[in-house]
Amino acid sequence: MRSVGETPAVSIPGSDGPTSLTTVAVVGTTGYTGQEVRRLIDAHPGLGAPRLLTARHATADAPGDAPDAPEPFHPERLDGVAVVFLCTPHGVAQPLARTELERGCRVVDLSADFRLRDPELHARTYGAKHTAPELLDEVVYGLTEHARPRLPDARLVANPGCYPTSVLLPLLPLVSAGLVDQDVPVVADCKSGVSGAGNTPAPSNVFGAVHDNFRAYAVGGHRHAPEIKQEAGIRKLVFVPHLLPVFRGILSTIYLRPVQGASAEGMRAHLQDYYEGEPFVRVLDGEEGQPSLADVQRTNRCHVALAEQDGHVVITSAIDNLVKGAAGQALQNMNLMLGFPEDAGLT
Ligand SMILES: NC(=O)c1ccc[n+]([C@@H]2O[C@H](COP(=O)([O-])OP(=O)(O)OC[C@H]3O[C@@H](n4cnc5c(N)ncnc54)[C@H](OP(=O)(O)O)[C@@H]3O)[C@@H](O)[C@H]2O)c1
């Protein structure tokens, strides 16, 4: 067993690491994010063939005969694995992460299991008691652009939710700089493609319900609201998600009141300065128009624009929910955990 935090052998141009390919594992490989993680691992120059695992099957029986069928999750199958990507529904990752950490692996959890720091808030939000609360203190919330200094030593990374990623990337630097009036709620009006709901069919996400249609859902009670409030450090948030008749992509429109003396122009300048040189976050100039899903689909990019209307600042932010909102950000985090260039496999 390798000791936790030990960097495995790696070698790619621009990397500080030593030689040979690194082994990672993916749990939940048949889901949308699991497939996306696999696609990105295949394109990553420093990673070898991933170990594909499933935690859905309780026995050690192989779930299928295909050459890339996942093996049942078993601690021994983690030997030699540097990082495990958990692409499983919430609730599943808590015991898995504990086992993986004990085995000397590092973990990037794409589910919501480790995102909320308060176990009571987690229980209220997700309807079940947290079963690994002892791990919450060490979790690094992996909004990469804001988590960089902590990632090289992180054992357990909570990959942010897709909606929170689209909202927090523009909002967080503005709140931190004291530019947002916190006496009025921030309004996040967000629209997602149907892949955001995962690959389990439900009456609300089958073709007949989504095609040629558009509606809000979970109004007043979506689980990503506490996550956005926690990470942005805001008291009041109105968050309304909508289901778009497209497969991938999120467009979030954020309405906020600036503090006295602040303006959309000043906020744009602040964000452009903040994200200058970032490989994946682009704050558009006033004349460049609006972010669109087509510009970010299948990329790890987030495009942001700002405008002003009647004393409010309107921010639009577009990402691909399966890439910057899930698998791409997970690989970006892994790159920093293992000492790869941050954009390795992502450009
Ligand atoms: N979809 C998005 O845009 C998105 C974005 C950010 C975060 N996330 C989060 O990422 C996680 C995965 O999302 P997804 O969209 O990929 O979901 P998904 O398409 O529903 O896939 C989840 C996979 O997890 C495994 N699984 C299902 N039930 C399980 C159980 N009871 N026990 C163990 N494994 C089980 C299955 O894979 P195997 O049968 O191969 O094991 C399944 O294919 C979720 O927690 C989700 O909230 C999703």
mmCIF file of all heavy atoms in Angstrom, residues 58-95:
data_model
loop_
_atom_site.group_PDB
_atom_site.id
_atom_site.type_symbol
_atom_site.label_atom_id
_atom_site.label_comp_id
_atom_site.label_asym_id
_atom_site.label_seq_id
_atom_site.Cartn_x
_atom_site.Cartn_y
_atom_site.Cartn_z
ATOM 1 N N ALA A 58 -23.158 -5.828 -5.160
ATOM 2 C CA ALA A 58 -22.624 -6.125 -3.832
ATOM 3 C C ALA A 58 -21.688 -7.333 -3.840
ATOM 4 O O ALA A 58 -20.788 -7.420 -3.017
ATOM 5 C CB ALA A 58 -23.774 -6.389 -2.866
ATOM 6 N N THR A 59 -21.836 -8.247 -4.753
ATOM 7 C CA THR A 59 -21.017 -9.453 -4.739
ATOM 8 C C THR A 59 -19.786 -9.260 -5.613
ATOM 9 O O THR A 59 -19.649 -8.270 -6.318
ATOM 10 C CB THR A 59 -21.793 -10.655 -5.287
ATOM 11 O OG1 THR A 59 -21.936 -10.467 -6.696
ATOM 12 C CG2 THR A 59 -23.146 -10.787 -4.626
ATOM 13 N N ALA A 60 -18.889 -10.213 -5.578
ATOM 14 C CA ALA A 60 -17.672 -10.131 -6.383
ATOM 15 C C ALA A 60 -17.897 -10.696 -7.781
ATOM 16 O O ALA A 60 -16.965 -10.852 -8.554
ATOM 17 C CB ALA A 60 -16.535 -10.872 -5.698
ATOM 18 N N ASP A 61 -19.134 -11.021 -8.131
ATOM 19 C CA ASP A 61 -19.400 -11.530 -9.478
ATOM 20 C C ASP A 61 -19.174 -10.423 -10.492
ATOM 21 O O ASP A 61 -19.627 -9.301 -10.307
ATOM 22 C CB ASP A 61 -20.849 -12.009 -9.610
ATOM 23 C CG ASP A 61 -21.137 -13.140 -8.632
ATOM 24 O OD1 ASP A 61 -20.184 -13.865 -8.306
ATOM 25 O OD2 ASP A 61 -22.300 -13.267 -8.201
ATOM 26 N N ALA A 62 -18.519 -10.751 -11.582
ATOM 27 C CA ALA A 62 -18.311 -9.748 -12.617
ATOM 28 C C ALA A 62 -19.656 -9.361 -13.207
ATOM 29 O O ALA A 62 -20.482 -10.209 -13.504
ATOM 30 C CB ALA A 62 -17.408 -10.316 -13.704
ATOM 31 N N PRO A 63 -19.934 -8.024 -13.349
ATOM 32 C CA PRO A 63 -21.237 -7.617 -13.839
ATOM 33 C C PRO A 63 -21.415 -7.773 -15.348
ATOM 34 O O PRO A 63 -22.510 -7.623 -15.846
ATOM 35 C CB PRO A 63 -21.299 -6.142 -13.450
ATOM 36 C CG PRO A 63 -19.899 -5.708 -13.302
ATOM 37 C CD PRO A 63 -19.102 -6.909 -12.916
ATOM 38 N N GLY A 64 -20.354 -8.067 -16.078
ATOM 39 C CA GLY A 64 -20.521 -8.213 -17.525
ATOM 40 C C GLY A 64 -19.303 -8.845 -18.151
ATOM 41 O O GLY A 64 -18.248 -8.944 -17.514
ATOM 42 N N ASP A 65 -19.424 -9.287 -19.417
ATOM 43 C CA ASP A 65 -18.311 -9.964 -20.091
ATOM 44 C C ASP A 65 -17.539 -9.050 -21.034
ATOM 45 O O ASP A 65 -16.491 -9.423 -21.542
ATOM 46 C CB ASP A 65 -18.849 -11.155 -20.913
ATOM 47 C CG ASP A 65 -19.457 -12.207 -19.988
ATOM 48 O OD1 ASP A 65 -19.004 -12.283 -18.834
ATOM 49 O OD2 ASP A 65 -20.382 -12.908 -20.442
ATOM 50 N N ALA A 66 -18.061 -7.860 -21.315
ATOM 51 C CA ALA A 66 -17.381 -6.969 -22.256
ATOM 52 C C ALA A 66 -15.991 -6.640 -21.729
ATOM 53 O O ALA A 66 -15.792 -6.589 -20.508
ATOM 54 C CB ALA A 66 -18.203 -5.701 -22.429
ATOM 55 N N PRO A 67 -15.019 -6.397 -22.641
ATOM 56 C CA PRO A 67 -13.639 -6.156 -22.189
ATOM 57 C C PRO A 67 -13.531 -4.980 -21.235
ATOM 58 O O PRO A 67 -12.689 -4.973 -20.339
ATOM 59 C CB PRO A 67 -12.872 -5.860 -23.487
ATOM 60 C CG PRO A 67 -13.783 -6.202 -24.614
ATOM 61 C CD PRO A 67 -15.174 -6.374 -24.086
ATOM 62 N N ASP A 68 -14.374 -3.960 -21.405
ATOM 63 C CA ASP A 68 -14.269 -2.807 -20.499
ATOM 64 C C ASP A 68 -15.388 -2.803 -19.456
ATOM 65 O O ASP A 68 -15.703 -1.754 -18.886
ATOM 66 C CB ASP A 68 -14.233 -1.499 -21.289
ATOM 67 C CG ASP A 68 -15.546 -1.245 -22.017
ATOM 68 O OD1 ASP A 68 -16.366 -2.184 -22.121
ATOM 69 O OD2 ASP A 68 -15.752 -0.106 -22.468
ATOM 70 N N ALA A 69 -16.005 -3.958 -19.202
ATOM 71 C CA ALA A 69 -17.031 -4.010 -18.147
ATOM 72 C C ALA A 69 -16.374 -3.717 -16.808
ATOM 73 O O ALA A 69 -15.272 -4.197 -16.528
ATOM 74 C CB ALA A 69 -17.679 -5.386 -18.119
ATOM 75 N N PRO A 70 -17.008 -2.894 -15.966
ATOM 76 C CA PRO A 70 -16.394 -2.579 -14.675
ATOM 77 C C PRO A 70 -16.342 -3.791 -13.756
ATOM 78 O O PRO A 70 -17.191 -4.670 -13.826
ATOM 79 C CB PRO A 70 -17.314 -1.501 -14.101
ATOM 80 C CG PRO A 70 -18.610 -1.646 -14.822
ATOM 81 C CD PRO A 70 -18.306 -2.220 -16.167
ATOM 82 N N GLU A 71 -15.292 -3.803 -12.917
ATOM 83 C CA GLU A 71 -15.178 -4.869 -11.912
ATOM 84 C C GLU A 71 -15.912 -4.417 -10.650
ATOM 85 O O GLU A 71 -15.933 -3.214 -10.337
ATOM 86 C CB GLU A 71 -13.714 -5.097 -11.549
ATOM 87 C CG GLU A 71 -12.834 -5.512 -12.700
ATOM 88 C CD GLU A 71 -11.391 -5.611 -12.236
ATOM 89 O OE1 GLU A 71 -10.804 -4.564 -11.913
ATOM 90 O OE2 GLU A 71 -10.887 -6.733 -12.168
ATOM 91 N N PRO A 72 -16.448 -5.339 -9.890
ATOM 92 C CA PRO A 72 -17.065 -4.947 -8.613
ATOM 93 C C PRO A 72 -16.048 -4.273 -7.706
ATOM 94 O O PRO A 72 -14.880 -4.687 -7.651
ATOM 95 C CB PRO A 72 -17.532 -6.279 -8.025
ATOM 96 C CG PRO A 72 -17.663 -7.185 -9.192
ATOM 97 C CD PRO A 72 -16.598 -6.775 -10.160
ATOM 98 N N PHE A 73 -16.492 -3.244 -7.012
ATOM 99 C CA PHE A 73 -15.598 -2.517 -6.110
ATOM 100 C C PHE A 73 -15.111 -3.436 -4.998
ATOM 101 O O PHE A 73 -15.895 -4.106 -4.334
ATOM 102 C CB PHE A 73 -16.352 -1.327 -5.489
ATOM 103 C CG PHE A 73 -15.493 -0.500 -4.580
ATOM 104 C CD1 PHE A 73 -14.747 0.543 -5.095
ATOM 105 C CD2 PHE A 73 -15.415 -0.773 -3.224
ATOM 106 C CE1 PHE A 73 -13.937 1.307 -4.265
ATOM 107 C CE2 PHE A 73 -14.609 -0.011 -2.395
ATOM 108 C CZ PHE A 73 -13.875 1.028 -2.918
ATOM 109 N N HIS A 74 -13.803 -3.481 -4.822
ATOM 110 C CA HIS A 74 -13.211 -4.237 -3.719
ATOM 111 C C HIS A 74 -11.913 -3.527 -3.337
ATOM 112 O O HIS A 74 -11.154 -3.109 -4.225
ATOM 113 C CB HIS A 74 -12.923 -5.677 -4.157
ATOM 114 C CG HIS A 74 -12.529 -6.549 -3.005
ATOM 115 N ND1 HIS A 74 -11.284 -6.518 -2.451
ATOM 116 C CD2 HIS A 74 -13.246 -7.451 -2.302
ATOM 117 C CE1 HIS A 74 -11.233 -7.372 -1.439
ATOM 118 N NE2 HIS A 74 -12.413 -7.949 -1.328
ATOM 119 N N PRO A 75 -11.634 -3.376 -2.033
ATOM 120 C CA PRO A 75 -10.446 -2.617 -1.642
ATOM 121 C C PRO A 75 -9.168 -3.094 -2.324
ATOM 122 O O PRO A 75 -8.308 -2.277 -2.669
ATOM 123 C CB PRO A 75 -10.384 -2.839 -0.127
ATOM 124 C CG PRO A 75 -11.787 -3.100 0.280
ATOM 125 C CD PRO A 75 -12.451 -3.792 -0.882
ATOM 126 N N GLU A 76 -9.044 -4.401 -2.556
ATOM 127 C CA GLU A 76 -7.795 -4.888 -3.180
ATOM 128 C C GLU A 76 -7.628 -4.374 -4.602
ATOM 129 O O GLU A 76 -6.512 -4.312 -5.116
ATOM 130 C CB GLU A 76 -7.773 -6.411 -3.168
ATOM 131 C CG GLU A 76 -7.383 -6.946 -1.803
ATOM 132 C CD GLU A 76 -7.553 -8.439 -1.684
ATOM 133 O OE1 GLU A 76 -7.759 -9.094 -2.720
ATOM 134 O OE2 GLU A 76 -7.491 -8.923 -0.542
ATOM 135 N N ARG A 77 -8.736 -4.006 -5.219
ATOM 136 C CA ARG A 77 -8.642 -3.508 -6.603
ATOM 137 C C ARG A 77 -8.134 -2.059 -6.629
ATOM 138 O O ARG A 77 -7.991 -1.470 -7.697
ATOM 139 C CB ARG A 77 -10.001 -3.627 -7.299
ATOM 140 C CG ARG A 77 -10.398 -5.092 -7.479
ATOM 141 C CD ARG A 77 -11.462 -5.292 -8.548
ATOM 142 N NE ARG A 77 -11.515 -6.708 -8.889
ATOM 143 C CZ ARG A 77 -12.514 -7.542 -8.579
ATOM 144 N NH1 ARG A 77 -13.573 -7.100 -7.945
ATOM 145 N NH2 ARG A 77 -12.462 -8.813 -8.920
ATOM 146 N N LEU A 78 -7.849 -1.490 -5.467
ATOM 147 C CA LEU A 78 -7.329 -0.122 -5.403
ATOM 148 C C LEU A 78 -5.810 -0.092 -5.306
ATOM 149 O O LEU A 78 -5.214 0.991 -5.345
ATOM 150 C CB LEU A 78 -7.922 0.597 -4.183
ATOM 151 C CG LEU A 78 -9.446 0.752 -4.180
ATOM 152 C CD1 LEU A 78 -9.905 1.330 -2.848
ATOM 153 C CD2 LEU A 78 -9.895 1.642 -5.334
ATOM 154 N N ASP A 79 -5.183 -1.246 -5.186
ATOM 155 C CA ASP A 79 -3.729 -1.256 -5.060
ATOM 156 C C ASP A 79 -3.086 -0.608 -6.290
ATOM 157 O O ASP A 79 -3.439 -0.932 -7.425
ATOM 158 C CB ASP A 79 -3.217 -2.690 -4.896
ATOM 159 C CG ASP A 79 -3.521 -3.216 -3.495
ATOM 160 O OD1 ASP A 79 -3.975 -2.407 -2.652
ATOM 161 O OD2 ASP A 79 -3.325 -4.418 -3.258
ATOM 162 N N GLY A 80 -2.158 0.312 -6.057
ATOM 163 C CA GLY A 80 -1.470 0.968 -7.168
ATOM 164 C C GLY A 80 -2.260 2.124 -7.777
ATOM 165 O O GLY A 80 -1.802 2.747 -8.735
ATOM 166 N N VAL A 81 -3.442 2.419 -7.231
ATOM 167 C CA VAL A 81 -4.275 3.504 -7.775
ATOM 168 C C VAL A 81 -3.946 4.809 -7.046
ATOM 169 O O VAL A 81 -3.967 4.863 -5.816
ATOM 170 C CB VAL A 81 -5.779 3.155 -7.606
ATOM 171 C CG1 VAL A 81 -6.649 4.373 -7.879
ATOM 172 C CG2 VAL A 81 -6.153 2.002 -8.536
ATOM 173 N N ALA A 82 -3.645 5.859 -7.815
ATOM 174 C CA ALA A 82 -3.287 7.145 -7.199
ATOM 175 C C ALA A 82 -4.520 7.930 -6.791
ATOM 176 O O ALA A 82 -4.589 8.470 -5.692
ATOM 177 C CB ALA A 82 -2.450 7.962 -8.186
ATOM 178 N N VAL A 83 -5.477 8.015 -7.704
ATOM 179 C CA VAL A 83 -6.680 8.815 -7.454
ATOM 180 C C VAL A 83 -7.902 8.024 -7.904
ATOM 181 O O VAL A 83 -7.890 7.404 -8.967
ATOM 182 C CB VAL A 83 -6.624 10.165 -8.224
ATOM 183 C CG1 VAL A 83 -7.968 10.893 -8.157
ATOM 184 C CG2 VAL A 83 -5.529 11.064 -7.667
ATOM 185 N N VAL A 84 -8.943 8.047 -7.079
ATOM 186 C CA VAL A 84 -10.216 7.416 -7.442
ATOM 187 C C VAL A 84 -11.228 8.524 -7.729
ATOM 188 O O VAL A 84 -11.401 9.435 -6.921
ATOM 189 C CB VAL A 84 -10.761 6.528 -6.305
ATOM 190 C CG1 VAL A 84 -12.045 5.834 -6.757
ATOM 191 C CG2 VAL A 84 -9.727 5.508 -5.871
ATOM 192 N N PHE A 85 -11.881 8.426 -8.881
ATOM 193 C CA PHE A 85 -12.986 9.340 -9.205
ATOM 194 C C PHE A 85 -14.292 8.640 -8.855
ATOM 195 O O PHE A 85 -14.594 7.574 -9.414
ATOM 196 C CB PHE A 85 -12.981 9.682 -10.702
ATOM 197 C CG PHE A 85 -11.772 10.456 -11.138
ATOM 198 C CD1 PHE A 85 -10.685 9.814 -11.712
ATOM 199 C CD2 PHE A 85 -11.714 11.834 -10.956
ATOM 200 C CE1 PHE A 85 -9.563 10.529 -12.114
ATOM 201 C CE2 PHE A 85 -10.591 12.560 -11.345
ATOM 202 C CZ PHE A 85 -9.517 11.904 -11.921
ATOM 203 N N LEU A 86 -15.046 9.232 -7.938
ATOM 204 C CA LEU A 86 -16.335 8.657 -7.557
ATOM 205 C C LEU A 86 -17.438 9.353 -8.355
ATOM 206 O O LEU A 86 -17.729 10.534 -8.127
ATOM 207 C CB LEU A 86 -16.567 8.827 -6.058
ATOM 208 C CG LEU A 86 -15.634 7.996 -5.171
ATOM 209 C CD1 LEU A 86 -15.859 8.318 -3.707
ATOM 210 C CD2 LEU A 86 -15.855 6.505 -5.435
ATOM 211 N N CYS A 87 -18.012 8.623 -9.295
ATOM 212 C CA CYS A 87 -19.051 9.186 -10.177
ATOM 213 C C CYS A 87 -20.383 8.531 -9.851
ATOM 214 O O CYS A 87 -21.107 8.068 -10.742
ATOM 215 C CB CYS A 87 -18.676 8.940 -11.637
ATOM 216 S SG CYS A 87 -17.073 9.588 -12.077
ATOM 217 N N THR A 88 -20.697 8.481 -8.593
ATOM 218 C CA THR A 88 -21.847 7.727 -8.090
ATOM 219 C C THR A 88 -22.891 8.679 -7.495
ATOM 220 O O THR A 88 -22.587 9.832 -7.181
ATOM 221 C CB THR A 88 -21.371 6.747 -7.000
ATOM 222 O OG1 THR A 88 -20.499 7.447 -6.106
ATOM 223 C CG2 THR A 88 -20.620 5.581 -7.608
ATOM 224 N N PRO A 89 -24.109 8.191 -7.293
ATOM 225 C CA PRO A 89 -25.143 9.055 -6.690
ATOM 226 C C PRO A 89 -24.763 9.446 -5.264
ATOM 227 O O PRO A 89 -23.978 8.745 -4.609
ATOM 228 C CB PRO A 89 -26.385 8.161 -6.674
ATOM 229 C CG PRO A 89 -26.111 7.055 -7.633
ATOM 230 C CD PRO A 89 -24.640 6.857 -7.654
ATOM 231 N N HIS A 90 -25.333 10.551 -4.773
ATOM 232 C CA HIS A 90 -25.014 10.961 -3.401
ATOM 233 C C HIS A 90 -25.463 9.875 -2.426
ATOM 234 O O HIS A 90 -26.425 9.144 -2.675
ATOM 235 C CB HIS A 90 -25.632 12.320 -3.074
ATOM 236 C CG HIS A 90 -27.128 12.352 -3.090
ATOM 237 N ND1 HIS A 90 -27.896 11.926 -2.038
ATOM 238 C CD2 HIS A 90 -27.995 12.749 -4.042
ATOM 239 C CE1 HIS A 90 -29.164 12.058 -2.348
ATOM 240 N NE2 HIS A 90 -29.260 12.549 -3.552
ATOM 241 N N GLY A 91 -24.709 9.759 -1.342
ATOM 242 C CA GLY A 91 -24.967 8.701 -0.361
ATOM 243 C C GLY A 91 -24.043 7.512 -0.550
ATOM 244 O O GLY A 91 -23.671 6.853 0.417
ATOM 245 N N VAL A 92 -23.630 7.273 -1.793
ATOM 246 C CA VAL A 92 -22.792 6.108 -2.088
ATOM 247 C C VAL A 92 -21.321 6.390 -1.766
ATOM 248 O O VAL A 92 -20.573 5.515 -1.337
ATOM 249 C CB VAL A 92 -22.950 5.709 -3.587
ATOM 250 C CG1 VAL A 92 -22.003 4.592 -3.972
ATOM 251 C CG2 VAL A 92 -24.387 5.320 -3.876
ATOM 252 N N ALA A 93 -20.903 7.632 -1.934
ATOM 253 C CA ALA A 93 -19.470 7.950 -1.848
ATOM 254 C C ALA A 93 -18.920 7.942 -0.421
ATOM 255 O O ALA A 93 -17.714 7.782 -0.227
ATOM 256 C CB ALA A 93 -19.204 9.316 -2.484
ATOM 257 N N GLN A 94 -19.775 8.119 0.573
ATOM 258 C CA GLN A 94 -19.254 8.281 1.940
ATOM 259 C C GLN A 94 -18.472 7.049 2.407
ATOM 260 O O GLN A 94 -17.307 7.178 2.792
ATOM 261 C CB GLN A 94 -20.393 8.638 2.893
ATOM 262 C CG GLN A 94 -20.954 10.033 2.610
ATOM 263 C CD GLN A 94 -22.342 10.251 3.155
ATOM 264 O OE1 GLN A 94 -22.687 9.764 4.223
ATOM 265 N NE2 GLN A 94 -23.163 10.991 2.430
ATOM 266 N N PRO A 95 -19.048 5.845 2.380
ATOM 267 C CA PRO A 95 -18.245 4.678 2.783
ATOM 268 C C PRO A 95 -17.121 4.357 1.804
ATOM 269 O O PRO A 95 -16.040 3.911 2.212
ATOM 270 C CB PRO A 95 -19.274 3.537 2.842
ATOM 271 C CG PRO A 95 -20.424 3.991 2.003
ATOM 272 C CD PRO A 95 -20.444 5.488 2.092
#
